[in-house]
Amino acid sequence: MTMPLIIPIFIMHRGCPHRCTFCDQQKAAGPYPDDVSETFFRQTVLSHLQHIKKKPDQVQIAFYGGNFTGMPRQDQTRLLKYAQPFLEAGGVSALRISTRPDCLDKERLDFLKEYGVQIVEIGAQSLVDDVLRRAERGHTAGNVDAAVQLLKANGFEVGVHLMAGMPGDSPEGFARSVARTIAMQPHTVRIHPTLVFTGTPLERDHRNGSYEPLTLDEAVLLCKSALLKFTAAGIPVIRIGLQTTPEMEKRGTVIAGPYHPAFRFLVEASIFFDRAASLLSRGDFQEKAVVFSVCPKEQSAFRGLKNENVRKLQNRFGLSGIRVVPDPAQPAGTLHVHCDI
Ligand code: SF4
């Protein structure tokens, strides 16, 4: 099955017990209304549905950008009711929400199920208690474990969000978060590097020198390692890097941190670079021209941004040339290299 088309509705910090130090949904998601009206909801969903070019297997409506199950019950009911006509008409197949791990219990799950919510994404961010404390998350790694198990036991599809480069985190700490997430066996994962949004407590910490964000290279390295581990564990990583919005692209919105509009592409290109380098280091290709066969849909990730991988490989291994040949017989995620005769 292909990835579902997800129609996001941002609820803008609704239900959040407080602000986590790094978070500003207005900056990350853009100018959404503080309260989602039925008219706004309908228009947003219809405009997404009208612009679908090739119908995916599944269309889902997602309530993101806040703590859904932390909202008063009447607000949850109101929003979920807006979605019911789309579910009944069949244009939308399921609802998903994102929420905090400490705002779930059996009663809340029964309520969500009644309204067609099938997927719950947990904002974990880290599975290291000291890191969670420093970001003022207000929950523990144990809460995440418990939430994931409860959701799975009640038949929900579960997603877990992780962040690289959180205040007080380290590469080892992030690796522990990845390992603990794999042990929980969620259905999907999202990862994004921590960015410093203007106006957040994290901006203050950055300006007073108590928080230094990851560089872009460090963020790519950490997320690459996480992607490889999740993939090996059979857990799809459905997003790497925050969704780029016009708001984020505005000057002064992200004041520091490894922001890149094609962050996932950088991570995947880095994986291909490593694979190609490993193949080249096993043979004698010095001063020779080589041909790489790649799966056609991975050709651009192999080349890297502006052909950077090809240039770097050529320089590092002293090659006289590299030809990249898209080969439908080459399995995805693999490469073959031989001399160009
Ligand atoms: S990270 Fe989640 S819980 Fe924290 S302020 Fe942002 S939306 Fe709310």
Side-chain angles (χ1 to χ4, degrees), residues 178-193:
V178 170
R180 196 158 166 182
T181 305
I182 289 172
M184 292 175 203
Q185 289 287 298
H187 297 85
T188 60
V189 168
R190 291 176 192 257
I191 313 167
H192 68 87

Side-chain angles (χ1 to χ4, degrees), residues 112-133:
L112 294 174
K113 224 180 237 178
E114 212 178 293
Y115 283 94
V117 176
Q118 293 180 16
I119 306 111
V120 176
E121 299 191 35
I122 299 289
Q125 323 311 2
S126 170
L127 276 303
V128 176
D129 282 337
D130 282 345
V131 174
L132 293 171
R133 207 170 300 121

Side-chain angles (χ1 to χ4, degrees), residues 13 16-20 22-23 25 65-67 100 125 137:
H13 290 289
C16 299
H18 57 267
R19 289 287 175 97
C20 306
F22 52 82
C23 185
Q25 293 295 333
N67 180 33
R100 290 171 55 92
Q125 323 311 2
R137 288 284 300 164

Side-chain angles (χ1 to χ4, degrees), residues 4-326:
L5 172 84
I6 296 176
I7 302 175
I9 303 286
F10 287 90
I11 59 171
M12 292 303 162
H13 290 289
R14 299 293 310 282
C16 299
H18 57 267
R19 289 287 175 97
C20 306
T21 61
F22 52 82
C23 185
D24 186 330
Q25 293 295 333
Q26 296 285 359
K27 302 271 169 19
Y32 261 75
D34 283 340
D35 192 23
V36 173
S37 69
E38 184 164 15
T39 307
F40 177 83
F41 180 92
R42 279 184 60 76
Q43 282 170 350
T44 305
V45 175
L46 286 173
S47 106
H48 274 86
L49 291 175
Q50 278 156 10
H51 288 97
I52 295 177
K53 289 195 191 90
K54 185 169 167 272
K55 195 165 177 352
D57 292 338
Q58 275 209 47
V59 179
Q60 300 173 353
I61 296 174
F63 293 100
Y64 287 154
N67 180 33
F68 194 87
T69 54
M71 287 192 296
R73 182 58 61 87
Q74 70 265 26
D75 290 345
Q76 296 180 51
T77 309
R78 181 172 57 83
L79 290 173
L80 292 172
K81 277 190 173 167
Y82 293 165
Q84 299 309 302
F86 293 98
L87 283 175
E88 282 155 18
V92 169
S93 43
L95 305 183
R96 57 165 72 211
I97 61 157
S98 67
T99 201
R100 290 171 55 92
D102 53 351
C103 285
L104 288 170
D105 54 36
K106 175 82 171 72
E107 190 276 328
R108 289 187 234 212
L109 297 191
D110 289 344
F111 162 77
L112 294 174
K113 224 180 237 178
E114 212 178 293
Y115 283 94
V117 176
Q118 293 180 16
I119 306 111
V120 176
E121 299 191 35
I122 299 289
Q125 323 311 2
S126 170
L127 276 303
V128 176
D129 282 337
D130 282 345
V131 174
L132 293 171
R133 207 170 300 121
R134 194 159 151 193
E136 296 173 19
R137 288 284 300 164
H139 67 78
T140 63
N143 291 133
V144 180
D145 264 323
V148 172
Q149 297 324 321
L150 181 71
L151 284 161
K152 283 167 57 177
N154 282 277
F156 284 85
E157 185 180 318
V158 189
V160 170
H161 296 193
L162 290 179
M163 290 170 65
M166 290 266 280
D169 208 356
S170 62
E172 297 73 31
F174 184 64
R176 284 209 301 281
S177 294
V178 170
R180 196 158 166 182
T181 305
I182 289 172
M184 292 175 203
Q185 289 287 298
H187 297 85
T188 60
V189 168
R190 291 176 192 257
I191 313 167
H192 68 87
T194 307
L195 304 177
V196 183
F197 286 102
T198 182
T200 58
L202 197 60
E203 179 189 12
R204 179 205 57 212
D205 293 347
H206 174 57
R207 292 203 187 279
N208 71 23
S210 58
Y211 173 68
E212 199 48 52
L214 297 173
T215 64
L216 187 58
D217 284 350
E218 288 167 340
V220 167
L221 205 64
L222 285 180
C223 293
K224 174 171 69 173
S225 159
L227 175 59
L228 290 169
K229 288 175 186 170
F230 283 122
T231 305
I235 300 171
V237 180
I238 58 172
R239 172 161 283 284
I240 305 178
L242 284 174
Q243 172 83 47
T244 299
T245 61
E247 199 67 19
M248 282 173 69
E249 295 272 285
K250 277 188 199 157
R251 220 175 130 81
T253 298
V254 178
I255 62 126
Y259 173 69
H260 194 287
F263 186 75
R264 184 176 189 127
F265 181 84
L266 297 185
V267 172
E268 290 176 343
S270 181
I271 290 173
F272 273 106
F273 179 85
D274 292 350
R275 286 189 183 137
S278 162
L279 282 178
L280 290 172
S281 63
R282 281 185 249 147
D284 178 16
F285 296 103
Q286 182 86 21
E287 291 177 18
K288 293 179 182 141
V290 299
V291 180
F292 275 101
S293 304
V294 300
C295 170
K297 66 176 194 251
E298 294 177 338
Q299 192 185 177
S300 95
F302 173 82
R303 289 182 175 280
L305 211 57
K306 297 184 181 151
N307 230 21
E308 195 189 1
N309 278 354
V310 173
R311 261 196 317 277
K312 271 168 44 187
L313 288 166
Q314 198 164 341
N315 290 340
R316 183 185 292 187
F317 292 93
L319 306 170
S320 64
I322 294 181
R323 238 169 12 102
V324 183
V325 177

